[in-house]
Amino acid sequence: QVQLVESGGGLVQTGGSLRLSCAASGRSFSSQAMGWFRQAPGKERDLVAAISPSSGSTTYANSVNGRFTISRDNAKNTMYLQMSTLKPEDTALYYCNTNPPGGLGPNWGQGTQVTVSS
């Protein structure tokens, strides 16, 4: 079964930057549209950025547009999220998955925690 493993989170001050990584096992990664999702305490899990299989198209939530950049390396089965100018409201558990979720199996990874201090 395909596994999705997120990493790169941490504690950062307002205005700082982080780069998240998502490593996927299996041979289907390159054919899947992928996304980064986040879930803050007490809130639903939301899509923040998405990328097409060939990286030709990317979309962003309004709240992160201009600050976050999604990318992928299909040769490495890895996706990235470069986050800049971070704000306290970006604090959440960040997950990767196909977009829409479930294209590589029913399970989510463990996520990676991003905490932005004010």
Side-chain angles (χ1 to χ4, degrees):
Q1 187 165 354
V2 174
Q3 282 190 315
L4 297 166
V5 180
E6 302 91 348
S7 62
L11 173 64
V12 64
Q13 291 184 334
T14 296
S17 299
L18 284 172
R19 188 192 195 206
L20 306 184
S21 297
C22 167
S25 62
R27 291 180 285 183
S28 301
F29 176 82
S30 62
S31 65
Q32 299 285 337
M34 297 293 296
W36 281 99
F37 302 77
R38 69 184 181 188
Q39 186 169 23
K43 297 187 177 181
E44 295 185 350
R45 188 176 297 169
D46 293 325
L47 176 69
V48 295
I51 188 167
S52 64
S54 62
S55 303
S57 175
T58 57
T59 57
Y60 299 92
N62 289 338
S63 58
V64 307
N65 195 25
R67 300 188 297 120
F68 290 11
T69 301
I70 189 171
S71 62
R72 66 192 294 168
D73 185 339
N74 287 341
K76 296 181 179 180
N77 274 19
T78 304
M79 179 176 66
Y80 306 97
L81 186 67
Q82 178 67 48
M83 305 187 295
S84 303
T85 320
L86 283 161
K87 305 175 181 180
E89 50 264 43
D90 294 318
T91 295
L93 194 56
Y94 284 72
Y95 300 89
C96 63
N97 209 316
T98 57
N99 183 37
L104 292 174
N107 297 325
W108 291 80
Q110 82 288 352
T112 186
Q113 178 67 41
V114 172
T115 303
V116 185
S117 63
S118 57

